[in-house]
Amino acid sequence: MAVAKTLGQFIIEKQSDFPYKKGEISRLLRDLGIAAKIVNKAVNKAGLMGILGEAGTQNVQGENQKKLDIYANQQFISALKNGGECCIVVSEENDDFVYIDSEISKNAKYIVAIDPLDGSSNIDVNVSVGTVFSIYRRKSPAGKVAIDEILQKGTEQLASGYIIYGSSTMLVYTTGKGVNGFTLDTSIGEFCLSHPDMRIPVTGQVYSINEGYYSHFPEGVKQYIKYCQVEDKDTYRPYTSRYIGSFVADVHRNIIQGGIFIYPSTAQAPGGKLRLLYECNPLAFIIEQAGGVASDGYNRILELEPYELHQRSPIFIGSREMVKKAEEMMDSFSPQIKYVSMVKAKNINIQP
Ligand code: P6P
């Protein structure tokens, strides 16, 4: 049987794809892979290690932090600190950005935005959770990093990826030359290439949205849900509804099977729930590289102008034809939100 290619071998083989000094991206991805293996062990044994449950603290979003959230955050930040390539970390678990000032990092060029453990509400009930990361390069050559170097558009990402801690643990990433998936072989402690050149089907039969909020959705979203539920053999409808409640798991399923995930704006959350820098942008980069589409219902996610670290965005992400259909519904039935979304995308302040 052919020996599977490890993540490390693959990164070295592909590092000529990377426009900067060859070893830099390799070391960054290596560092993230190391932390992923450590977090994987904790996630798999959470029930036995007494690290399930609430930490008794809240993150900047006002969400109760789980002990595993904090543990994962510590592991990724220390792996990046020790690797020496990262100068700034933006994390869902830290109010402000973390400046990496270790001696080894004094010439570091890279900014990493990360959700160390997405879907944490699922931890206690043993449902898949994930890590999401985004890699940017600082614009200034050295010295203190300015905030506008951190608030870069998604199109500026040099790499992005996710780890899904599910029935198996996978690391999926892109550097802008396609998407490749690696499955953790715990017998040798290596991520091995299992899903080369991942492509999302152009259409699918799965729609993924929390229909519990139906009454608060924009009319365009309501109309799209109705469209998914109509009987029509020619277009394989009604579609199937699947909602894991873990962004990474729902999007990963759709990349494999085809489908659409929607977390729209609602009356309570006009900006949506998912965060632009370390959830929407990284997965939008992945999905576009796999042949899919990611928008806020009107604007390409990767073109949205970030104006704060923990900014949220509505997201429609998945198979091209399904997202385009949903965008048509938004255009026809929810034009008023379009103005707000277009304004946000152009970073124009809306006077109250
Ligand atoms: P709701 C998990 O807490 C998360 O941030 C995403 O992973 C997931 O897609 C979403 O929230 C689920 O939110 O409101 O449907 O429970």
Side-chain angles (χ1 to χ4, degrees), residues 118-119 121 210 213 243 245-247 261 263 273-275 279:
D118 170 70
S121 50
N210 186 339
Y213 304 137
Y243 193 73
S246 257
F247 183 41
F261 173 91
Y263 207 107
K273 175 179 183 183
L274 295 168
R275 291 79 172 182
E279 289 174 325

Side-chain angles (χ1 to χ4, degrees), residues 290-316:
V293 171
S295 81
D296 64 1
Y298 310 100
N299 309 287
R300 186 183 177 213
I301 288 284
L302 296 182
E303 292 287 352
L304 296 180
E305 282 292 348
Y307 47 85
E308 61 170 5
L309 294 182
H310 301 287
Q311 170 182 339
R312 299 174 191 265
S313 172
I315 186 162
F316 297 59

Side-chain angles (χ1 to χ4, degrees), residues 130-248:
T131 297
V132 193
F133 64 87
S134 206
I135 299 175
Y136 294 88
R137 189 173 169 93
R138 63 176 297 167
K139 299 291 186 192
S140 55
K144 203 155 171 42
V145 178
I147 186 70
D148 64 341
E149 297 185 74
I150 299 170
L151 298 175
Q152 297 183 43
K153 290 201 311 191
T155 47
E156 298 296 308
Q157 291 175 98
L158 292 165
S160 79
Y162 60 86
I163 296 106
I164 178 168
Y165 310 95
S167 46
S168 63
T169 296
M170 276 189 74
L171 185 150
V172 177
Y173 83 93
T174 183
T175 59
K177 304 272 185 189
V179 179
N180 291 283
F182 300 79
T183 299
L184 182 62
D185 179 342
T186 49
S187 68
I188 57 171
E190 290 285 0
F191 282 104
C192 298
L193 182 63
S194 54
H195 296 66
D197 193 20
M198 294 173 76
R199 304 289 294 169
I200 184 169
V202 74
T203 191
Q205 280 84 50
V206 173
Y207 71 102
S208 183
I209 186 168
N210 186 339
E211 294 190 59
Y213 304 137
Y214 182 85
S215 60
H216 302 300
F217 286 153
E219 188 54 31
V221 173
K222 292 179 179 175
Q223 292 297 324
Y224 181 68
I225 292 172
K226 286 200 179 75
Y227 170 83
C228 293
Q229 295 171 342
V230 163
E231 184 90 30
D232 174 30
K233 298 233 178 318
D234 295 344
T235 53
Y236 306 100
R237 288 180 287 152
Y239 294 154
T240 298
S241 171
R242 285 283 183 278
Y243 193 73
I244 301 169
S246 257
F247 183 41
V248 170

